[in-house]
Short mmCIF file of all heavy atoms in Angstrom, two decimals:
data_model
loop_
_atom_site.label_atom_id
_atom_site.label_comp_id
_atom_site.label_asym_id
_atom_site.label_seq_id
_atom_site.Cartn_x
_atom_site.Cartn_y
_atom_site.Cartn_z
N THR C 318 -91.55 -35.94 -47.32
CA THR C 318 -92.95 -35.60 -47.08
C THR C 318 -93.85 -36.83 -47.18
O THR C 318 -94.75 -37.04 -46.36
CB THR C 318 -93.42 -34.52 -48.08
OG1 THR C 318 -92.56 -33.37 -47.99
CG2 THR C 318 -94.85 -34.09 -47.79
N ALA C 319 -93.62 -37.65 -48.20
CA ALA C 319 -94.46 -38.84 -48.40
C ALA C 319 -94.28 -39.85 -47.28
O ALA C 319 -95.21 -40.62 -46.98
CB ALA C 319 -94.13 -39.49 -49.74
N LEU C 320 -93.11 -39.87 -46.63
CA LEU C 320 -92.84 -40.80 -45.53
C LEU C 320 -93.22 -40.24 -44.17
O LEU C 320 -92.80 -40.76 -43.13
CB LEU C 320 -91.35 -41.19 -45.54
CG LEU C 320 -90.85 -41.95 -46.78
CD1 LEU C 320 -89.36 -42.22 -46.66
CD2 LEU C 320 -91.62 -43.26 -46.96
N PHE C 321 -94.02 -39.18 -44.18
CA PHE C 321 -94.37 -38.48 -42.94
C PHE C 321 -95.01 -39.41 -41.91
O PHE C 321 -94.81 -39.26 -40.70
CB PHE C 321 -95.30 -37.31 -43.26
CG PHE C 321 -95.75 -36.54 -42.06
CD1 PHE C 321 -94.83 -36.06 -41.15
CD2 PHE C 321 -97.10 -36.27 -41.84
CE1 PHE C 321 -95.23 -35.34 -40.03
CE2 PHE C 321 -97.50 -35.56 -40.74
CZ PHE C 321 -96.57 -35.08 -39.83
N THR C 322 -95.82 -40.38 -42.36
CA THR C 322 -96.51 -41.27 -41.43
C THR C 322 -95.53 -42.08 -40.58
O THR C 322 -95.87 -42.52 -39.48
CB THR C 322 -97.43 -42.24 -42.19
OG1 THR C 322 -96.66 -42.93 -43.19
CG2 THR C 322 -98.55 -41.49 -42.86
N LEU C 323 -94.29 -42.29 -41.05
CA LEU C 323 -93.32 -43.09 -40.32
C LEU C 323 -92.75 -42.36 -39.11
O LEU C 323 -92.27 -43.01 -38.17
CB LEU C 323 -92.16 -43.50 -41.25
CG LEU C 323 -92.54 -44.36 -42.47
CD1 LEU C 323 -91.30 -44.69 -43.29
CD2 LEU C 323 -93.25 -45.64 -42.03
N TYR C 324 -92.80 -41.01 -39.14
CA TYR C 324 -92.23 -40.28 -38.02
C TYR C 324 -93.19 -39.22 -37.45
O TYR C 324 -92.81 -38.45 -36.56
CB TYR C 324 -90.91 -39.61 -38.42
CG TYR C 324 -91.02 -38.62 -39.57
CD1 TYR C 324 -91.27 -37.27 -39.33
CD2 TYR C 324 -90.86 -39.03 -40.89
CE1 TYR C 324 -91.35 -36.36 -40.38
CE2 TYR C 324 -90.94 -38.13 -41.94
CZ TYR C 324 -91.19 -36.80 -41.68
OH TYR C 324 -91.28 -35.91 -42.72
N SER C 325 -94.44 -39.19 -37.91
CA SER C 325 -95.38 -38.16 -37.47
C SER C 325 -95.72 -38.26 -35.99
O SER C 325 -96.00 -37.24 -35.34
CB SER C 325 -96.67 -38.25 -38.30
OG SER C 325 -97.30 -39.51 -38.11
N LYS C 326 -95.73 -39.48 -35.44
CA LYS C 326 -96.12 -39.66 -34.04
C LYS C 326 -94.91 -39.69 -33.10
O LYS C 326 -95.08 -39.84 -31.88
CB LYS C 326 -96.94 -40.94 -33.88
CG LYS C 326 -98.30 -40.87 -34.58
CD LYS C 326 -99.09 -42.14 -34.37
CE LYS C 326 -100.51 -42.00 -34.91
NZ LYS C 326 -100.58 -41.64 -36.32
N ARG C 327 -93.73 -39.58 -33.63
CA ARG C 327 -92.53 -39.54 -32.79
C ARG C 327 -92.32 -38.13 -32.24
O ARG C 327 -92.81 -37.15 -32.81
CB ARG C 327 -91.29 -39.98 -33.58
CG ARG C 327 -91.37 -41.44 -34.05
CD ARG C 327 -90.12 -41.81 -34.83
NE ARG C 327 -90.17 -43.20 -35.28
CZ ARG C 327 -89.79 -44.23 -34.55
NH1 ARG C 327 -89.31 -44.03 -33.32
NH2 ARG C 327 -89.86 -45.46 -35.03
N TRP C 328 -91.56 -38.04 -31.16
CA TRP C 328 -91.30 -36.74 -30.56
C TRP C 328 -90.54 -35.85 -31.56
O TRP C 328 -89.51 -36.25 -32.10
CB TRP C 328 -90.46 -36.89 -29.29
CG TRP C 328 -90.25 -35.57 -28.59
CD1 TRP C 328 -91.06 -34.99 -27.67
CD2 TRP C 328 -89.16 -34.67 -28.79
NE1 TRP C 328 -90.56 -33.79 -27.27
CE2 TRP C 328 -89.38 -33.56 -27.95
CE3 TRP C 328 -88.03 -34.69 -29.61
CZ2 TRP C 328 -88.51 -32.49 -27.90
CZ3 TRP C 328 -87.15 -33.61 -29.56
CH2 TRP C 328 -87.39 -32.53 -28.70
N GLY C 329 -91.07 -34.66 -31.79
CA GLY C 329 -90.44 -33.73 -32.71
C GLY C 329 -90.72 -34.01 -34.17
O GLY C 329 -90.28 -33.25 -35.03
N GLY C 330 -91.47 -35.07 -34.46
CA GLY C 330 -91.77 -35.42 -35.85
C GLY C 330 -92.45 -34.32 -36.63
O GLY C 330 -92.01 -33.97 -37.74
N PRO C 331 -93.54 -33.74 -36.09
CA PRO C 331 -94.22 -32.66 -36.81
C PRO C 331 -93.32 -31.45 -37.06
O PRO C 331 -93.44 -30.79 -38.10
CB PRO C 331 -95.39 -32.30 -35.88
CG PRO C 331 -95.65 -33.55 -35.11
CD PRO C 331 -94.30 -34.16 -34.90
N TYR C 332 -92.42 -31.17 -36.11
CA TYR C 332 -91.52 -30.03 -36.30
C TYR C 332 -90.48 -30.32 -37.38
O TYR C 332 -90.11 -29.42 -38.16
CB TYR C 332 -90.83 -29.69 -34.97
CG TYR C 332 -91.78 -29.18 -33.92
CD1 TYR C 332 -91.81 -29.76 -32.65
CD2 TYR C 332 -92.65 -28.13 -34.18
CE1 TYR C 332 -92.68 -29.29 -31.69
CE2 TYR C 332 -93.53 -27.66 -33.22
CZ TYR C 332 -93.55 -28.24 -31.97
OH TYR C 332 -94.42 -27.79 -31.02
N ILE C 333 -90.00 -31.57 -37.42
CA ILE C 333 -89.07 -31.96 -38.49
C ILE C 333 -89.74 -31.82 -39.84
O ILE C 333 -89.16 -31.30 -40.80
CB ILE C 333 -88.58 -33.41 -38.28
CG1 ILE C 333 -87.73 -33.50 -37.01
CG2 ILE C 333 -87.78 -33.89 -39.50
CD1 ILE C 333 -87.33 -34.92 -36.65
N PHE C 334 -91.00 -32.27 -39.90
CA PHE C 334 -91.76 -32.16 -41.14
C PHE C 334 -91.92 -30.70 -41.55
O PHE C 334 -91.74 -30.33 -42.72
CB PHE C 334 -93.13 -32.81 -40.96
CG PHE C 334 -94.08 -32.58 -42.10
CD1 PHE C 334 -93.95 -33.31 -43.28
CD2 PHE C 334 -95.08 -31.64 -42.01
CE1 PHE C 334 -94.82 -33.10 -44.34
CE2 PHE C 334 -95.95 -31.42 -43.05
CZ PHE C 334 -95.82 -32.15 -44.22
N THR C 335 -92.28 -29.86 -40.59
CA THR C 335 -92.49 -28.44 -40.86
C THR C 335 -91.22 -27.77 -41.37
O THR C 335 -91.24 -27.01 -42.34
CB THR C 335 -92.97 -27.72 -39.59
OG1 THR C 335 -94.23 -28.29 -39.17
CG2 THR C 335 -93.15 -26.23 -39.84
N ILE C 336 -90.09 -28.07 -40.71
CA ILE C 336 -88.82 -27.44 -41.09
C ILE C 336 -88.39 -27.86 -42.49
O ILE C 336 -88.01 -27.02 -43.31
CB ILE C 336 -87.73 -27.80 -40.06
CG1 ILE C 336 -88.02 -27.12 -38.73
CG2 ILE C 336 -86.35 -27.39 -40.58
CD1 ILE C 336 -87.12 -27.57 -37.60
N GLN C 337 -88.49 -29.15 -42.80
CA GLN C 337 -88.05 -29.61 -44.13
C GLN C 337 -88.97 -29.09 -45.22
O GLN C 337 -88.51 -28.75 -46.32
CB GLN C 337 -87.94 -31.13 -44.17
CG GLN C 337 -89.24 -31.91 -44.18
CD GLN C 337 -89.85 -32.08 -45.55
OE1 GLN C 337 -89.17 -31.95 -46.57
NE2 GLN C 337 -91.15 -32.33 -45.59
N LEU C 338 -90.29 -29.01 -44.93
CA LEU C 338 -91.22 -28.50 -45.94
C LEU C 338 -90.95 -27.03 -46.23
O LEU C 338 -90.94 -26.60 -47.39
CB LEU C 338 -92.66 -28.71 -45.49
CG LEU C 338 -93.73 -28.37 -46.52
CD1 LEU C 338 -93.63 -29.27 -47.74
CD2 LEU C 338 -95.13 -28.48 -45.90
N GLY C 339 -90.73 -26.25 -45.17
CA GLY C 339 -90.42 -24.83 -45.37
C GLY C 339 -89.10 -24.63 -46.08
O GLY C 339 -88.98 -23.79 -46.99
N PHE C 340 -88.11 -25.42 -45.69
CA PHE C 340 -86.77 -25.30 -46.27
C PHE C 340 -86.77 -25.66 -47.76
O PHE C 340 -86.25 -24.91 -48.59
CB PHE C 340 -85.80 -26.20 -45.51
CG PHE C 340 -84.38 -26.12 -45.98
CD1 PHE C 340 -83.57 -25.06 -45.61
CD2 PHE C 340 -83.85 -27.10 -46.81
CE1 PHE C 340 -82.25 -24.99 -46.05
CE2 PHE C 340 -82.55 -27.03 -47.24
CZ PHE C 340 -81.75 -25.97 -46.86
N PHE C 341 -87.34 -26.80 -48.09
CA PHE C 341 -87.27 -27.28 -49.47
C PHE C 341 -88.24 -26.57 -50.42
O PHE C 341 -88.09 -26.68 -51.64
CB PHE C 341 -87.52 -28.80 -49.52
CG PHE C 341 -86.34 -29.61 -49.08
CD1 PHE C 341 -86.38 -30.33 -47.90
CD2 PHE C 341 -85.18 -29.65 -49.82
CE1 PHE C 341 -85.30 -31.09 -47.49
CE2 PHE C 341 -84.08 -30.39 -49.42
CZ PHE C 341 -84.14 -31.11 -48.25
N THR C 342 -89.24 -25.86 -49.87
CA THR C 342 -90.09 -25.03 -50.73
C THR C 342 -89.58 -23.59 -50.82
O THR C 342 -89.99 -22.85 -51.71
CB THR C 342 -91.55 -25.02 -50.24
OG1 THR C 342 -91.59 -24.62 -48.85
CG2 THR C 342 -92.18 -26.39 -50.39
N GLY C 343 -88.67 -23.22 -49.91
CA GLY C 343 -88.04 -21.90 -50.00
C GLY C 343 -86.84 -21.93 -50.92
O GLY C 343 -86.56 -20.95 -51.63
N TRP C 344 -86.13 -23.04 -50.94
CA TRP C 344 -84.92 -23.19 -51.75
C TRP C 344 -85.16 -22.89 -53.23
O TRP C 344 -84.42 -22.10 -53.84
CB TRP C 344 -84.39 -24.61 -51.56
CG TRP C 344 -82.98 -24.84 -52.01
CD1 TRP C 344 -82.20 -24.00 -52.76
CD2 TRP C 344 -82.17 -25.99 -51.74
NE1 TRP C 344 -80.97 -24.56 -52.97
CE2 TRP C 344 -80.91 -25.78 -52.36
CE3 TRP C 344 -82.37 -27.17 -51.04
CZ2 TRP C 344 -79.89 -26.72 -52.30
CZ3 TRP C 344 -81.34 -28.11 -50.97
CH2 TRP C 344 -80.12 -27.88 -51.59
N PRO C 345 -86.18 -23.47 -53.87
CA PRO C 345 -86.35 -23.20 -55.31
C PRO C 345 -86.85 -21.80 -55.64
O PRO C 345 -86.73 -21.37 -56.78
CB PRO C 345 -87.38 -24.26 -55.74
CG PRO C 345 -88.14 -24.58 -54.51
CD PRO C 345 -87.16 -24.47 -53.39
N THR C 346 -87.41 -21.09 -54.65
CA THR C 346 -87.99 -19.77 -54.93
C THR C 346 -86.98 -18.82 -55.55
O THR C 346 -87.29 -18.10 -56.50
CB THR C 346 -88.57 -19.16 -53.64
OG1 THR C 346 -89.53 -20.06 -53.07
CG2 THR C 346 -89.24 -17.83 -53.93
N THR C 347 -85.78 -18.80 -55.00
CA THR C 347 -84.76 -17.86 -55.49
C THR C 347 -84.01 -18.38 -56.72
O THR C 347 -83.21 -17.65 -57.30
CB THR C 347 -83.74 -17.57 -54.37
OG1 THR C 347 -83.30 -18.81 -53.79
CG2 THR C 347 -84.37 -16.73 -53.28
N MET C 348 -84.28 -19.61 -57.12
CA MET C 348 -83.58 -20.17 -58.28
C MET C 348 -84.41 -20.17 -59.55
O MET C 348 -83.87 -20.36 -60.65
CB MET C 348 -83.17 -21.63 -57.99
CG MET C 348 -82.17 -21.80 -56.87
SD MET C 348 -81.46 -23.48 -56.82
CE MET C 348 -82.89 -24.45 -56.37
N MET C 349 -85.73 -19.92 -59.46
CA MET C 349 -86.61 -20.20 -60.59
C MET C 349 -86.41 -19.26 -61.78
O MET C 349 -86.41 -19.70 -62.93
CB MET C 349 -88.07 -20.18 -60.14
CG MET C 349 -88.46 -21.40 -59.34
SD MET C 349 -87.66 -22.93 -59.90
CE MET C 349 -88.14 -23.00 -61.60
N ILE C 350 -86.27 -17.97 -61.55
CA ILE C 350 -86.08 -17.04 -62.67
C ILE C 350 -84.74 -17.31 -63.37
O ILE C 350 -84.69 -17.39 -64.60
CB ILE C 350 -86.19 -15.58 -62.22
CG1 ILE C 350 -87.62 -15.28 -61.74
CG2 ILE C 350 -85.83 -14.64 -63.37
CD1 ILE C 350 -88.69 -15.41 -62.81
N PRO C 351 -83.62 -17.48 -62.62
CA PRO C 351 -82.37 -17.85 -63.31
C PRO C 351 -82.49 -19.14 -64.10
O PRO C 351 -81.97 -19.25 -65.22
CB PRO C 351 -81.38 -17.99 -62.16
CG PRO C 351 -81.89 -17.07 -61.10
CD PRO C 351 -83.37 -17.18 -61.20
N ILE C 352 -83.16 -20.16 -63.56
CA ILE C 352 -83.35 -21.42 -64.28
C ILE C 352 -84.19 -21.19 -65.53
O ILE C 352 -83.88 -21.71 -66.61
CB ILE C 352 -84.00 -22.47 -63.37
CG1 ILE C 352 -83.00 -22.93 -62.29
CG2 ILE C 352 -84.45 -23.68 -64.18
CD1 ILE C 352 -83.58 -23.89 -61.28
N SER C 353 -85.26 -20.41 -65.40
CA SER C 353 -86.14 -20.15 -66.54
C SER C 353 -85.39 -19.44 -67.67
O SER C 353 -85.57 -19.77 -68.84
CB SER C 353 -87.34 -19.30 -66.10
OG SER C 353 -88.13 -19.98 -65.15
N LEU C 354 -84.54 -18.48 -67.30
CA LEU C 354 -83.78 -17.75 -68.32
C LEU C 354 -82.81 -18.67 -69.03
O LEU C 354 -82.48 -18.44 -70.21
CB LEU C 354 -83.03 -16.57 -67.68
CG LEU C 354 -83.90 -15.42 -67.17
CD1 LEU C 354 -83.02 -14.32 -66.59
CD2 LEU C 354 -84.76 -14.86 -68.29
N ASP C 355 -82.33 -19.70 -68.36
CA ASP C 355 -81.44 -20.66 -69.00
C ASP C 355 -82.15 -21.42 -70.11
O ASP C 355 -81.52 -21.90 -71.05
CB ASP C 355 -80.89 -21.64 -67.95
CG ASP C 355 -79.86 -22.60 -68.53
OD1 ASP C 355 -78.92 -22.12 -69.19
OD2 ASP C 355 -79.99 -23.81 -68.31
N TYR C 356 -83.47 -21.51 -70.00
CA TYR C 356 -84.26 -22.25 -70.99
C TYR C 356 -84.82 -21.34 -72.09
O TYR C 356 -85.03 -21.80 -73.21
CB TYR C 356 -85.41 -22.98 -70.32
CG TYR C 356 -85.00 -24.24 -69.61
CD1 TYR C 356 -84.48 -24.20 -68.32
CD2 TYR C 356 -85.10 -25.49 -70.23
CE1 TYR C 356 -84.09 -25.35 -67.66
CE2 TYR C 356 -84.70 -26.65 -69.58
CZ TYR C 356 -84.19 -26.57 -68.30
OH TYR C 356 -83.79 -27.72 -67.66
N VAL C 357 -85.08 -20.06 -71.78
CA VAL C 357 -85.75 -19.20 -72.77
C VAL C 357 -84.91 -18.01 -73.22
O VAL C 357 -85.22 -17.41 -74.25
CB VAL C 357 -87.11 -18.70 -72.23
CG1 VAL C 357 -87.99 -19.87 -71.85
CG2 VAL C 357 -86.94 -17.77 -71.03
N GLY C 358 -83.88 -17.60 -72.45
CA GLY C 358 -83.04 -16.48 -72.85
C GLY C 358 -83.53 -15.15 -72.31
O GLY C 358 -84.70 -14.99 -71.94
N ILE C 359 -82.65 -14.16 -72.28
CA ILE C 359 -82.95 -12.85 -71.70
C ILE C 359 -84.03 -12.12 -72.49
O ILE C 359 -84.77 -11.31 -71.94
CB ILE C 359 -81.67 -11.99 -71.59
CG1 ILE C 359 -81.94 -10.66 -70.87
CG2 ILE C 359 -81.09 -11.73 -72.97
CD1 ILE C 359 -82.43 -10.84 -69.46
N SER C 360 -84.13 -12.38 -73.79
CA SER C 360 -85.14 -11.69 -74.58
C SER C 360 -86.55 -12.09 -74.18
O SER C 360 -87.52 -11.40 -74.51
CB SER C 360 -84.93 -11.98 -76.08
OG SER C 360 -85.18 -13.34 -76.36
N LYS C 361 -86.68 -13.20 -73.45
CA LYS C 361 -87.98 -13.67 -72.98
C LYS C 361 -88.12 -13.49 -71.47
O LYS C 361 -88.87 -14.20 -70.82
CB LYS C 361 -88.18 -15.14 -73.34
CG LYS C 361 -88.03 -15.46 -74.83
CD LYS C 361 -89.12 -14.80 -75.65
CE LYS C 361 -89.00 -15.18 -77.12
NZ LYS C 361 -90.02 -14.52 -77.95
N MET C 362 -87.39 -12.52 -70.92
CA MET C 362 -87.41 -12.27 -69.48
C MET C 362 -88.83 -12.05 -68.96
O MET C 362 -89.28 -12.68 -68.00
CB MET C 362 -86.55 -11.06 -69.14
CG MET C 362 -86.84 -10.44 -67.79
SD MET C 362 -86.12 -11.32 -66.41
CE MET C 362 -84.47 -10.67 -66.45
N SER C 363 -89.58 -11.16 -69.59
CA SER C 363 -90.93 -10.85 -69.13
C SER C 363 -91.86 -12.04 -69.26
O SER C 363 -92.71 -12.28 -68.40
CB SER C 363 -91.49 -9.65 -69.91
OG SER C 363 -90.73 -8.49 -69.66
#
Side-chain angles (χ1 to χ4, degrees):
T318 303
L320 296 178
F321 179 51
T322 54
L323 299 180
Y324 59 90
S325 62
K326 293 181 173 57
R327 297 180 180 274
W328 184 88
Y332 294 128
I333 294 174
F334 172 78
T335 299
I336 291 172
Q337 73 85 20
L338 186 63
F340 182 78
F341 283 112
T342 54
W344 196 348
T346 304
T347 49
M348 296 193 293
M349 286 324 304
I350 295 297
I352 289 175
S353 297
L354 291 181
D355 185 50
Y356 283 83
V357 303
I359 185 61
S360 66
K361 304 295 183 182
M362 161 79 82
S363 296

